[in-house]
Amino acid sequence: MILVTYLPFYRLHEVASYFVKNVELVRPERAVAFIDNVFNEGQREVARGVLPKGVEYVFGNWGSRDDTWIAMLEWLRSSGVEGDALFVDSDNVLTGDFPEIHRLLLKAAEENELRAYGVLDLECWEGGAAHFLRRSELSDVVGVFFYRVYDPRFFFKGGNPFFWGPKQAVYLGRLPDEGLVEGLASALSRVTPYLRNLLSDESLLGVMAWLSGVDRVPWTVASRHLHHGSGRAGDELSVARAHAQFAEGLWRAFRKREFLAYSLKYKAVVLREAVKALF
């Protein structure tokens, strides 16, 4: 297995604080950290001076979580990796029983084309996890749920019809097709750069799964989330603009009627929020 994390430059400390613990637990063949917002050799020198050994580092200036996901998927394929990749959010530490949970989730994931699964953190579970449970159903594997990555009911109410579900960790037993990733990159390029971080990576991954023929992604609770506390929520108008632009890009790239409906939904939200801002 290859173990991957991704983080912006200002959160470098999370590699030593959290990721190395996941490396020690999982014992992967390779461990790689993708560091975003790096555009100067001086930054690379600073990073090399504080980052722990035993991890490979890929530096870039991708600018958003979604652009970083595209870069990670392209890098893995160019490196000859076809799958068996576990991506862990940089502020998460997998639970000690994760090796056994991995085997359970793989069993539940046998039916999907990517052999993919997701992981929820204990903190969210203890808080009720209502956001995830409302689109989930129990699997035949004890303690494992299935999350519907595409749910047309959300065209008519709050929430995105395309959503991966829990993703404190994401496992891909097989990488998505190269052409699919190129299409996602093209769609993402149509989103205004400063809006891209308002587009959740769960949305990108949900679209990726659905286009790969995956309807449901298995998940269970298997990490601790050490919140970094640096995030800021966007206003509804800006978030809706990001989704509308992404959906338009998906329609142009894939010509699926579901993406046309996705676009129309968020264009309506943009109009609603713009009218509200006037009064």
Side-chain angles (χ1 to χ4, degrees):
M1 179 190 290
I2 184 168
L3 184 65
V4 182
T5 195
Y6 52 105
L7 62 157
F9 181 78
Y10 67 87
R11 286 166 54 188
L12 281 179
H13 63 283
E14 292 180 345
V15 178
S17 298
Y18 310 131
F19 188 56
V20 293
K21 295 179 181 178
N22 294 323
V23 174
E24 292 168 359
L25 176 66
V26 176
R27 297 179 182 273
E29 294 176 13
R30 299 171 68 182
V32 185
F34 286 75
I35 315 295
D36 193 11
N37 309 130
V38 177
F39 49 85
N40 183 279
E41 183 56 33
Q43 288 178 289
R44 292 181 177 86
E45 291 178 7
V46 169
R48 294 186 187 106
V50 299
L51 289 170
K53 307 297 183 184
V55 175
E56 298 174 52
Y57 297 99
V58 180
F59 298 103
N61 192 27
W62 306 292
S64 74
R65 294 182 301 273
D66 290 307
D67 285 296
T68 303
W69 266 101
I70 297 295
M72 290 191 296
L73 293 171
E74 291 176 340
W75 184 90
L76 288 170
R77 187 174 295 279
S78 68
S79 299
V81 178
E82 298 181 355
D84 198 24
L86 179 66
F87 305 81
V88 184
D89 279 7
S90 61
D91 58 357
N92 272 252
V93 175
L94 298 168
T95 55
D97 56 351
F98 178 77
E100 176 59 28
I101 287 174
H102 172 68
R103 287 187 284 273
L104 288 175
L105 287 167
L106 280 183
K107 181 180 179 182
E110 287 176 351
E111 69 173 59
N112 74 56
E113 291 295 320
L114 297 177
R115 292 185 18 246
Y117 67 70
V119 165
L120 183 69
D121 56 289
L122 283 160
E123 289 72 18
C124 182
W125 179 257
E126 291 166 355
H131 175 66
F132 297 110
L133 289 172
R134 65 178 176 166
R135 278 174 70 161
S136 298
E137 59 191 48
L138 278 169
S139 76
D140 293 332
V141 180
V142 177
V144 175
F145 297 84
F146 281 119
Y147 188 91
R148 292 186 295 277
V149 299
Y150 170 66
D151 192 334
R153 295 176 300 171
F154 287 87
F155 285 125
F156 308 103
K157 59 182 180 178
N160 191 340
F162 295 97
F163 205 78
W164 174 272
K167 61 149 286 290
Q168 302 307 318
V170 167
Y171 175 79
L172 296 178
R174 182 178 69 80
L175 296 184
D177 292 342
E178 185 176 2
L180 190 156
V181 175
E182 290 174 354
L184 290 175
S186 175
L188 189 60
S189 72
R190 300 189 66 85
V191 182
T192 304
Y194 75 87
L195 292 176
R196 288 182 197 171
N197 265 325
L198 300 180
L199 185 70
S200 68
D201 41 353
E202 289 94 339
S203 299
L204 178 82
L205 292 171
V207 170
M208 180 195 77
W210 183 73
L211 286 171
S212 299
V214 176
D215 296 319
R216 307 182 304 166
V217 171
W219 64 272
T220 195
V221 182
S223 82
R224 304 292 319 208
H225 190 182
L226 295 309
H227 293 269
H228 56 84
S230 64
R232 295 180 181 179
D235 62 274
E236 288 192 48
L237 177 57
S238 297
V239 172
R241 286 180 61 203
H243 279 285
Q245 292 176 11
F246 181 52
E248 177 69 20
L250 290 170
W251 164 247
R252 289 174 179 270
F254 298 104
R255 295 293 173 177
K256 300 282 189 181
R257 63 182 181 179
E258 290 84 355
F259 296 143
L260 184 58
Y262 179 17
S263 173
L264 291 173
K265 170 181 175 165
Y266 279 98
K267 285 178 179 177
V269 177
V270 168
L271 179 60
R272 183 194 71 197
E273 293 302 314
V275 170
K276 284 169 60 177
L278 293 174
F279 299 97

